[in-house]
Amino acid sequence: MIWNDQLNREIPKGWNVGQLSDIANIAMGQSPAGETYNENGNGMIFYQGCTDFGTRFPVPRVYTTAPTRFAKSGDILMSVRAPVGTLNVAIEDCSIGRGLAALNSKIGSQLYLWYTLAGFKQLFNVLDGNGTTFGSITKDTLYETKVVIPNPVLVKSFEEIVQPIEQKIRIIEEENRELTKLRDWLLPMLMNGQATVE
């Protein structure tokens, strides 16, 4: 570990300090007109903020027929309005509103980016606990946030180890969604006698 004057703390030797925009492509959300929203599946899935966030993946509820800003499947969705820093991963292509930013890695490790952003959330929580409320974070502040950048060989090794675990989490989530759909289809039939269990 060596001392870094920019961060006022020690970082691993051989690592660099940069900005979040050095390691991530960042798209800030923009909300479409309110009259384009619906909950009947018409149009594209739309997430305004972190209201529909789950443990790891958001749950579709609102759709829009006039999407303006987009996130791709696998992009990290980060809340940029209170609570700032809350994270989820888009499990499908979607539209994002002004309460979110969509991020993907420039350095070949979406998971390193995820855990870097998770560290930001811990910082925001500490500041909130000290009475400094982060109501929102601006585009410039997000882009310029200081990050530690490991050497590329280490990033690649980390991604190779952690990616299979992340993939399994995603598969389980997709299976759970299918089981939920099956339950919601089958339960009414059981209740009204259209189906029986032998």
Side-chain angles (χ1 to χ4, degrees):
M1 301 292 285
I2 58 170
W3 182 260
N4 183 274
D5 290 329
Q6 287 179 275
L7 299 178
N8 289 320
R9 64 181 174 90
E10 290 184 331
I11 64 172
K13 187 176 181 180
W15 291 28
N16 298 310
V17 175
Q19 298 181 343
L20 182 60
S21 56
D22 294 330
I23 66 167
N25 297 303
I26 305 168
M28 304 299 285
Q30 183 181 52
S31 300
E35 60 269 17
T36 69
Y37 300 175
N38 68 88
E39 293 186 14
N40 58 15
N42 188 17
M44 186 175 218
I45 295 166
F46 173 65
Y47 300 117
Q48 173 72 349
C50 61
T51 304
D52 299 312
F53 277 14
T55 305
R56 188 75 161 205
F57 305 98
V59 179
R61 181 180 57 88
V62 178
Y63 296 78
T64 178
T65 55
T68 52
R69 295 286 170 84
F70 305 92
K72 292 195 174 293
S73 176
D75 282 359
I76 298 168
L77 304 178
M78 177 181 172
S79 172
V80 293
R81 294 188 171 195
V84 174
T86 303
L87 302 175
N88 259 199
V89 177
I91 203 166
E92 66 280 288
D93 292 351
C94 57
S95 173
I96 56 171
R98 64 177 178 265
L100 296 177
L103 303 95
N104 57 64
S105 178
K106 284 183 176 178
I107 62 171
S109 177
Q110 194 72 346
L111 291 168
Y112 178 73
L113 179 58
W114 169 271
Y115 289 109
T116 298
L117 295 172
F120 292 172
K121 177 60 176 167
Q122 292 171 356
L123 173 63
F124 294 135
N125 287 345
V126 168
L127 291 171
D128 283 344
N130 290 335
T132 306
T133 303
F134 267 80
S136 64
I137 186 169
T138 66
K139 176 182 175 181
D140 289 343
T141 301
L142 188 60
Y143 274 56
E144 295 169 5
T145 300
K146 297 290 185 201
V147 295
V148 181
I149 307 172
N151 69 66
V153 173
L154 193 59
V155 170
K156 183 179 179 185
S157 297
F158 174 76
E159 188 74 11
E160 287 172 356
I161 293 168
V162 182
Q163 181 57 40
I165 300 168
E166 179 67 21
Q167 187 60 32
K168 188 168 186 180
I169 292 170
R170 184 185 178 111
I171 289 168
I172 291 169
E173 173 70 17
E174 290 171 345
E175 289 173 349
N176 283 340
R177 290 187 181 197
E178 286 303 313
L179 287 170
T180 300
K181 286 179 188 175
L182 181 60
R183 179 203 65 197
D184 293 346
W185 170 78
L186 186 58
L187 193 58
M189 295 174 63
L190 290 167
M191 297 287 284
N192 67 24
Q194 286 180 281
T196 58
V197 178
E198 293 185 9

